[in-house]
Amino acid sequence: QVQLVESGGGLVQAGGSLRLSCVGSGHTFYDMGWFRQAPGKEREFVAGITRSGSSTYYADSVKGRFTITRDNAKKTVYLQMSSLKPEDTAIYYCAGSSYSGNKYSDKSFGFWGQGTQVTVSS
């Protein structure tokens, strides 16, 4: 059974930091990514990383504030979020892919976690 389980969400004040974790099991994932969905909005790309971790990709809105990393030995991908803003409030989803594709598109990812809520207060 393939699973992606996120953790680390919560409530934080603007300017604060959070680190999200996503542990995978049951599959060897190639690209990994983080997406988010705010109330009333479509799901959007946040960050992506290749299997080796040598290449990372970010949405313009989070570039310089968020960092995606992965530890393949622990089958875990992380999203370090700093300088958080109220507009970062959303449910954050971890995603995994069986191949190397378009890191920015949710259509490239066949496996998804259940999501973790991040709320940034002003």
Side-chain angles (χ1 to χ4, degrees), residues 4 27 29-33 94-99 108-113:
L4 290 169
H27 191 75
F29 299 102
Y30 279 74
D31 297 340
M32 299 290 295
C94 173
S97 175
S98 296
Y99 63 96
S108 297
F109 295 88
F111 304 96
W112 293 84

Side-chain angles (χ1 to χ4, degrees), residues 8-83:
L11 173 64
V12 64
Q13 287 189 331
S17 299
L18 280 176
R19 188 177 81 156
L20 305 183
S21 300
C22 172
V23 180
S25 61
H27 191 75
T28 299
F29 299 102
Y30 279 74
D31 297 340
M32 299 290 295
W34 287 95
F35 290 76
R36 67 187 182 187
Q37 187 167 20
K41 294 188 177 182
E42 293 188 353
R43 185 166 60 190
E44 63 175 2
F45 168 79
V46 175
I49 188 167
T50 55
R51 184 178 182 183
S52 66
S54 60
S55 296
T56 55
Y57 306 82
Y58 297 96
D60 288 342
S61 59
V62 307
K63 205 170 291 183
R65 299 188 298 121
F66 291 11
T67 302
I68 186 171
T69 57
R70 67 189 293 173
D71 183 335
N72 289 334
K74 295 182 178 179
K75 299 182 179 180
T76 302
V77 61
Y78 304 96
L79 186 67
Q80 178 68 48
M81 305 184 294
S82 303
S83 302

Side-chain angles (χ1 to χ4, degrees), residues 2-3 6 21 29 48 81 89 103-104 112:
V2 180
Q3 278 192 315
E6 302 101 332
S21 300
F29 299 102
M81 305 184 294
T89 295
K103 281 72 169 169
Y104 299 93
W112 293 84

Side-chain angles (χ1 to χ4, degrees), residues 107-120:
K107 294 179 174 58
S108 297
F109 295 88
F111 304 96
W112 293 84
Q114 82 288 351
T116 185
Q117 176 71 48
V118 171
T119 303
V120 184

